[in-house]
């Protein structure tokens, strides 16, 4: 059902985007960054305050070195992530920098993907504040991913490696499960490539459901996309995986279509059809997390992690593409 709450979330997403666009149009040329930042506030249920947000972004810019990727528009991505997750974002940024430095020392490349990986680790901080084991496991996960798919795996996969490292299983167990999804989904007609690898990682985050069952659900979701008038693009594979993790009776693609229509009332969103579809699914998923039947289950925690994975990967992809475009134009 397309509830009043969902309509309000879609409207709030547009309102925050409009404010960001009006006030940052000379600082952020890629509107997708602002769309993603706006959605983070709505999906995480955080009140948006432009003054607080921009002061945090300016603080980040002042704190980093001359050649840091956070001197550019990427600082707005990190500012949004810190602002929606922590009550003390400036202190957490300093902790983020320490984790980032440790990742670099371990062999990760400098840049936005490593910053977002550090954010993933920071968001799953242990009580003792020691990230050593998580960093080592993240590195091991990434190296194993490269071993399995050397041509597909790049620094853009750092955030997913960090999220998978939060699971209890060993690196071998996790990658074996990921490979099982990859091969079985390919046998079901899903095209090999980065998007299928991402989908396989998304499904691996849920350790409690049988592989064959999730493959069947994901295939069903793929077919349902077409029936609902949503394009069955490979770039939507991760979103199909997110929806497949929900109990089947909670998946309402007609409602997602209505959210897409609501967002498309805004001209900027009509020109960004792919990200609009992804944001609509994020808004839908955030509403389902409030469902009383999920709140007390292990699936709730899994779904929170999955939404974080999708947000982290999308933010990294958009920020990375924008940085590459800015670099080539200069």
């Amino acid at each position: 059902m397309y509830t009043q709450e969902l309509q309000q979330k879609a409207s709030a997403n547009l309102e925050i985007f409009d404010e960001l666009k009006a006030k940052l149009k000379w600082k952020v040329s890629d509107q997708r960054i602002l769309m993603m930042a706006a959605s983070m506030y709505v999906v995480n249920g955080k009140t948006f305050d432009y003054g607080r947000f921009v002061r945090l972004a300016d603080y980040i810019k002042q704190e980093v070195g001359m050649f840091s990727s956070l001197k550019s528009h990427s600082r707005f991505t990190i500012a949004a992530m810190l602002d929606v997750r922590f009550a003390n974002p400036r202190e957490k940024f300093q902790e983020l920098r320490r984790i980032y430095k440790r990742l670099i020392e371990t062999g990760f490349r400098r840049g936005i993907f490593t910053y977002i990986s550090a954010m993933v680790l920071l968001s799953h901080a242990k009580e003792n504040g020691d990230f050593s084991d998580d960093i080592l496991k993240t590195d091991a996960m990434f190296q194993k991913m490269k071993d399995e798919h050397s041509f597909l795996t790049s620094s853009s996969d750092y955030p997913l490696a960090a999220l998978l490292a939060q699971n209890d299983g060993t690196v071998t167990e996790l990658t074996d499960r990921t490979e099982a999804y990859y091969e079985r989904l390919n046998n079901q007609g899903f095209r090999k490539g980065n998007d299928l690898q991402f989908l396989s990682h998304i499904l691996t985050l849920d350790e409690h459901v049988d592989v064959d069952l999730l493959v069947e659900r994901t295939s069903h979701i793929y077919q349902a996309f077409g029936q609902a008038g949503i394009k069955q693009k490979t770039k939507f594979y991760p979103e199909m995986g997110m929806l497949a993790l929900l109990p089947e009776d909670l998946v309402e693609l007609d409602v997602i279509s209505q959210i897409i229509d609501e967002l498309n009332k805004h001209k900027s969103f009509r020109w960004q059809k792919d990200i609009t579809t992804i944001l609509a699914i994020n808004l839908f998923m955030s509403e389902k997390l409030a469902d009383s039947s999920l709140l007390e289950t292990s699936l709730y925690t899994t779904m929170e992690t999955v939404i974080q994975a999708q947000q982290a990967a999308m933010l990294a992809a958009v920020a990375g593409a924008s940085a590459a475009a800015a670099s080539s134009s200069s």
Side-chain angles (χ1 to χ4, degrees):
M1 180 184 298
Y2 186 47
T3 63
Q4 185 178 1
E5 288 79 7
L6 273 172
Q7 186 173 20
Q8 289 172 345
K9 285 187 174 187
S11 296
N13 205 135
L14 296 177
E15 289 170 9
I16 296 171
F17 168 74
D18 278 337
E19 184 173 4
L20 287 169
K21 181 182 176 184
K23 295 177 177 177
L24 294 175
K25 59 184 177 182
W26 303 116
K27 295 183 178 179
V28 182
S29 58
D30 191 334
Q31 293 186 7
R32 295 175 302 167
I33 290 177
L34 304 182
M35 291 174 178
M36 287 297 299
S39 77
M40 289 198 69
Y41 285 90
V42 180
V43 167
N44 289 280
K46 175 81 171 184
T47 301
F48 178 71
D49 180 313
Y50 177 78
R52 184 186 66 218
F53 167 73
V54 80
R55 284 191 297 272
L56 179 58
D58 288 344
Y59 171 77
I60 290 171
K61 183 178 181 180
Q62 293 166 6
E63 290 293 301
V64 298
M66 180 67 70
F67 301 105
S68 171
S69 58
L70 297 189
K71 281 290 187 187
S72 68
H73 47 247
S74 293
R75 68 185 184 275
F76 296 107
T77 299
I78 296 299
M81 297 180 86
L82 287 166
D83 197 24
V84 301
R85 291 192 175 125
F86 304 109
N88 51 341
R90 291 193 180 200
E91 293 175 23
K92 289 297 182 179
F93 176 66
Q94 296 303 333
E95 194 170 351
L96 178 77
R97 292 181 70 190
R98 290 192 288 272
I99 300 170
Y100 175 82
K101 183 179 179 182
R102 292 280 303 280
L103 287 168
I104 297 300
E105 291 169 350
T106 304
F108 285 66
R109 297 176 62 184
R110 296 181 183 277
I112 187 61
F113 301 120
T114 300
Y115 273 114
I116 293 178
S117 302
M119 181 69 72
V120 169
L121 298 180
L122 182 62
S123 300
H124 294 81
K126 304 294 189 295
E127 288 185 8
N128 62 7
D130 183 9
F131 294 92
S132 300
D133 290 343
D134 286 342
I135 289 171
L136 289 174
K137 190 173 181 181
T138 297
D139 182 48
M141 280 298 313
F142 180 73
Q143 297 304 326
K144 190 69 172 175
M145 288 159 63
K146 282 184 67 177
D147 290 343
E148 298 290 348
H149 298 282
S150 59
F151 293 107
L152 298 180
T153 306
S154 67
S155 57
S156 64
D157 293 298
Y158 288 164
L160 280 170
L163 273 158
L164 286 167
Q166 306 306 311
N167 285 36
D168 291 332
T170 66
V171 170
T172 299
E173 289 169 344
L174 291 169
T175 51
D176 284 351
R177 189 172 174 88
T178 298
E179 279 305 296
Y181 283 122
Y182 191 87
E183 294 301 328
R184 293 181 201 185
L185 285 165
N186 177 241
N187 291 336
Q188 291 291 320
F190 286 76
R191 293 174 59 185
K192 288 187 175 182
N194 288 309
D195 296 307
L196 182 54
Q197 180 170 250
F198 187 6
L199 167 57
S200 302
H201 291 150
I202 289 285
L203 297 178
T204 301
L205 291 169
D206 191 338
E207 306 170 85
H208 307 287
V209 183
D210 179 71
V211 170
D212 288 328
L213 177 58
L214 279 184
V215 168
E216 181 182 340
R217 281 191 196 170
T218 307
S219 296
H220 176 73
I221 294 291
Y222 179 88
Q223 297 303 324
F225 261 53
Q227 294 163 8
I230 304 173
K231 290 189 180 295
Q232 297 162 307
K233 292 187 174 184
T234 58
K235 66 175 56 182
F236 298 151
Y237 282 178
E239 284 65 45
M240 295 175 190
M242 290 170 66
L243 292 167
L245 292 176
L246 282 175
E248 291 182 72
D249 60 326
L250 293 182
V251 179
E252 302 170 288
L253 287 175
D254 58 324
V255 172
I256 292 172
S257 292
Q258 288 177 282
I259 303 172
I260 293 171
D261 291 341
E262 186 72 25
L263 294 174
N264 277 334
K265 291 178 181 178
H266 194 296
K267 182 172 68 174
S268 294
F269 284 75
R270 285 200 301 274
W271 283 103
Q272 298 289 348
K273 293 184 182 297
D274 291 346
I275 201 166
T276 296
T277 298
I278 291 168
L279 295 182
I281 294 172
N282 272 355
L283 293 175
F284 175 81
M285 294 295 292
S286 71
E287 183 72 6
K288 289 306 174 185
L289 279 186
D291 190 294
S292 58
S293 66
L294 291 183
L295 286 174
E296 301 302 323
T297 68
S298 61
L299 181 60
Y300 179 84
T301 302
T302 300
M303 291 311 305
E304 277 196 315
T305 304
V306 166
I307 289 176
Q308 282 185 30
Q310 195 272 354
Q311 284 184 329
M314 274 302 300
L315 284 164
V318 170
S322 297
S327 176
S328 63
S329 65
S330 60

